Amino acid sequence: MKRNTLLTNGFLICAFLAATAIAGATPASVDTPLHGDVVHGKTLYQGCQACHSIDENDLGPRHRGVVGRRAGSVEDYAYSKALKNSGLTWDEATLDRWLTNPSALVPGTKMFFKIDGAQARADIIAYLKELN
């Protein structure tokens, strides 16, 4: 009986340690930057064109020069007060957080569209960087 208890406890300890190691490894893999594919990003950007344009304001502001630009700073576009006052600058990390969930990053923003896939976001951001 003691042997069965020791085996069971040993198994549980090993399972716990394995689960802890996997859980500990997950954040590192999430934080690893993805390499964006500009060509695929250009294709994916076609979905953004329902509201945005590269060179002209539409429902959303123009995107040429967005990477490195202060959020809410295109003078001839009517941004939400929330985005204008956000203090954000559009870099790769901020754009990734924005495209993941704009309303979570800036509550009160007009933009509601989300892009779930991390690789898709990286590809779109790579394309936007090319537009600078």
Side-chain angles (χ1 to χ4, degrees):
M1 187 61 131
K2 269 189 174 180
R3 181 181 162 102
N4 286 343
T5 304
L6 287 175
L7 286 175
T8 302
N9 287 344
F11 175 75
L12 291 174
I13 290 169
C14 287
F16 174 76
L17 291 174
T20 303
I22 291 168
T26 301
S29 61
V30 170
D31 291 338
T32 303
L34 296 172
H35 175 70
D37 179 341
V38 174
V39 174
H40 190 237
K42 183 176 183 177
T43 300
L44 293 173
Y45 184 80
Q46 291 174 2
C48 304
Q49 291 179 315
C51 297
H52 292 276
S53 169
I54 293 169
D55 290 311
E56 296 181 23
N57 294 328
D58 200 341
L59 289 175
R62 65 182 171 264
H63 277 154
R64 185 171 306 280
V66 70
V67 178
R69 185 166 67 206
R70 191 174 45 79
S73 66
V74 173
E75 290 187 27
D76 56 342
Y77 182 76
Y79 292 96
S80 66
K81 187 182 244 186
L83 191 60
K84 268 191 131 165
N85 296 327
S86 69
L88 297 174
T89 297
W90 299 123
D91 60 18
E92 289 179 60
T94 305
L95 282 166
D96 184 62
R97 290 175 50 214
W98 174 257
L99 293 172
T100 299
N101 190 345
S103 297
L105 182 61
V106 182
T109 187
K110 291 189 221 178
M111 186 164 152
F112 58 89
F113 189 78
K114 301 176 187 179
I115 299 173
D116 292 327
Q119 187 62 58
R121 290 191 307 271
D123 294 348
I124 292 168
I125 293 166
Y127 174 64
L128 291 173
K129 284 174 64 177
E130 292 289 311
L131 299 176
N132 280 349

